[in-house]
Amino acid sequence: IYLSLNATFQSSVTKPIAYRKRQLYNLARFAQENAEALAQCLFEDLGKPRQEALCTEINPVVQRALHAAQNLDKWMDHETGRFEVQPFQKNWKVQVEKCPKGVSLIIVPWNYPVILAFLPLIGAIAAGCCSAIKLSEMAPAVASFIAENLTKHLDANAYRVILGGVPEITKVLELKWDHILYTGNSKTARIIAAAAARHLTPLTLELGGKSPVIIDASSTDLEVVARRVLWGKVMNAGQICVSPDYVLLVGGGDVEAKFVTAMKKVYAEFYPQGALAYEGMGDGGYGRIVNKTHFERIRGMMEASQGRVVVRGKVDEERLMIEPCVIVVDQAGKDVLLEEEIFGPILPVVIVGSVDAAIKFVNERPHALTLYLFTETDRFRKTVIDHTMSGQVVVNDTVFHLTCGCFFDNLCSFLRSVSG
């Protein structure tokens, strides 16, 4: 695969704009024509409901591929006349030419195995690169389907799928790629970064982390806030890198009671019979945990927590399902739920007395991938944004945002930017 992709790139077949557009349109067609099959695979691997699969994984691939094809000419235009130069350089004819880097390796996680395979691929195709896509063995239905069907639409000489687990990816990382893109956790990222460093391979890492939610209880409608936070938490059963990880509820008096009441009401609206009753592909369904190992990890965190369970939290070991669970923990922040990224449907809530206390709490931990902020006052918003650091800040909503750069462990990602 590696030698074949390099030979294809050296032949320059992927460089013409017309070729790139054709591959982008073919990728959009692949996702569109196989939408139901891909949704079924996502349900088999993750219990992901059909509507969620279409909205968060499949339809965006179609939209982004078409967008790239329709804007490719503009993106590839030479850039001239906007450079600051020394006086003696003013007569130089300087321009930026956008050239493909070579053969890229895309390492895909299990939690969003369709969109996180194809968004980076769209960037690679648009740039004129060849790509190898290493799909996750933890999403076997998706991996098998893509491996069997993708090259029916794309040029098999330029874009290939790699299957397998740790032994296979270990061998793959011994090779010298022109660029590696990895989406996943920081522990694996360090291994990949070390492998890339041996060849000085450029690397893009899109990693997780604990994404806090700061709520200004004095200025917000707590029922609206609860609805938006819970919606973000139940998506893919909390198995998403930008899932709301913990809540800092700013206020005094009875703010805890009001927020818990709001959460209970919203949960009952989402799942009148409890989330465990909503397994299935239909609209309003609720996903499951990817495998037994992750199920036991999440359940272990719930059992080890010293906090008070205030909303649901039932589990079904046979079906690997865990209900959304809201747990109020001590302000000291020593609870197990506040240590590592949860990556599951548990939402710890910490009551803090002031915005300064919330800022201090956030800054004592590694930089967040995303910080969610709920407030109706400009002063509160500006105070939080000016005194914290995160990949992005989303005000009065969760999950959906524009992603251009993300901090985590001092590594920067540009996964979904125009630069590809």
Side-chain angles (χ1 to χ4, degrees):
I1 291 175
Y2 175 79
L3 294 176
S4 174
L5 291 174
N6 274 278
T8 298
F9 182 74
Q10 292 302 324
S11 74
S12 296
V13 68
T14 62
K15 294 181 181 180
I17 300 297
Y19 172 91
R20 304 183 203 183
K21 287 184 177 180
R22 184 165 62 252
Q23 299 303 312
L24 289 166
Y25 282 125
N26 286 345
L27 180 56
R29 188 175 297 111
F30 166 79
Q32 188 173 53
E33 293 178 355
N34 293 285
E36 294 300 330
L38 288 168
Q40 179 61 41
C41 290
L42 288 165
F43 176 72
E44 292 176 15
D45 287 336
L46 292 158
K48 197 169 286 191
R50 176 180 175 275
Q51 183 180 29
E52 184 176 328
L54 292 173
C55 290
T56 64
E57 293 232 49
I58 301 166
N59 291 345
V61 172
V62 178
Q63 295 162 2
R64 301 289 179 85
L66 294 176
H67 178 77
Q70 292 160 1
N71 288 274
L72 190 56
D73 289 311
K74 179 176 65 177
W75 294 348
M76 296 308 299
D77 279 346
H78 300 316
E79 296 182 17
T80 61
R82 63 177 187 84
F83 307 104
E84 293 185 7
V85 297
Q86 297 297 321
F88 73 91
Q89 297 172 319
K90 287 185 177 180
N91 293 326
W92 293 10
K93 295 180 180 180
V94 180
Q95 69 178 26
V96 174
E97 294 194 12
K98 300 167 184 177
C99 303
K101 297 181 74 172
V103 181
S104 62
L105 172 64
I106 300 167
I107 305 174
V108 185
W110 52 263
N111 62 325
Y112 281 85
V114 175
I115 194 169
L116 293 180
F118 292 142
L119 288 195
L121 180 61
I122 289 168
I125 294 172
C129 296
C130 295
S131 289
I133 310 165
K134 169 58 181 72
L135 297 171
S136 175
E137 73 279 12
M138 292 171 62
V142 169
S144 296
F145 184 85
I146 292 175
E148 292 172 9
N149 294 282
L150 183 62
T151 53
K152 296 176 183 177
H153 291 73
L154 296 187
D155 184 350
N157 293 316
Y159 315 105
R160 299 287 294 275
V161 171
I162 299 174
L163 301 177
V166 174
E168 288 75 19
I169 190 59
T170 300
K171 286 293 184 182
V172 166
L173 287 171
E174 292 176 0
L175 302 170
K176 187 182 187 306
W177 303 90
D178 296 302
H179 196 99
I180 297 175
L181 186 144
Y182 167 71
T183 304
N185 63 70
S186 59
K187 181 179 179 181
T188 303
R190 290 185 175 91
I191 297 171
I192 294 171
R198 287 195 290 270
H199 299 293
L200 297 180
T201 299
L203 185 64
T204 300
L205 301 174
E206 201 282 331
L207 309 178
K210 295 184 79 67
S211 295
V213 182
I214 299 178
I215 301 172
D216 175 13
S218 65
S219 74
T220 54
D221 183 328
L222 288 180
E223 186 175 323
V224 172
V225 173
R227 181 172 290 105
R228 295 178 182 179
V229 172
L230 186 62
W231 176 83
K233 193 63 176 176
V234 302
M235 184 178 291
N236 203 28
Q239 298 167 114
I240 175 173
C241 62
V242 292
S243 176
D245 194 272
Y246 64 92
V247 168
L248 297 174
L249 187 59
V250 181
D254 59 351
V255 294
E256 177 187 328
K258 289 181 178 178
F259 184 70
V260 169
T261 298
M263 269 289 180
K264 288 180 177 179
K265 180 180 179 181
V266 170
Y267 180 85
E269 292 174 359
F270 281 15
Y271 307 107
Q273 300 174 47
L276 298 186
Y278 291 85
E279 181 186 27
M281 285 191 69
D283 295 347
Y286 181 69
R288 60 174 173 79
I289 307 305
V290 64
N291 59 28
K292 184 68 176 295
T293 300
H294 281 276
F295 176 88
E296 293 295 351
R297 177 187 63 82
I298 296 168
R299 180 163 67 176
M301 294 176 76
M302 291 173 63
E303 294 174 348
S305 173
Q306 300 300 307
R308 293 178 287 108
V309 176
V310 294
V311 177
R312 289 288 183 168
K314 296 179 181 178
V315 301
D316 186 326
E317 184 173 355
E318 182 177 349
R319 294 186 293 161
L320 299 180
M321 295 182 72
I322 298 177
E323 283 186 323
C325 180
V326 180
I327 300 178
V328 177
V329 300
D330 184 71
Q331 183 176 350
K334 303 297 183 181
D335 198 88
V336 64
L337 297 177
L338 299 171
E339 295 173 1
E340 296 182 358
E341 182 180 12
I342 295 171
F343 220 70
I346 310 172
L347 184 68
V349 176
V350 181
I351 312 301
V352 293
S354 67
V355 64
D356 291 335
I359 290 169
K360 181 175 183 293
F361 194 99
V362 170
N363 288 341
E364 288 174 344
R365 289 155 177 80
H367 297 321
L369 179 62
T370 302
L371 188 151
Y372 299 114
L373 172 60
F374 287 86
T375 183
E376 295 298 329
T377 70
D378 289 339
R379 181 178 180 181
F380 193 101
R381 175 186 56 78
K382 190 175 188 304
T383 299
V384 171
I385 293 175
D386 287 350
H387 294 89
T388 59
M389 184 174 291
S390 58
Q392 53 265 320
V393 177
V394 178
V395 180
N396 293 334
D397 210 341
T398 61
V399 178
F400 287 122
H401 53 269
L402 294 175
T403 303
C404 293
C406 307
F407 280 106
F408 188 73
D409 287 355
N410 296 319
L411 298 169
C412 197
S413 94
F414 297 93
L415 177 59
R416 302 178 185 89
S417 65
V418 171
S419 60

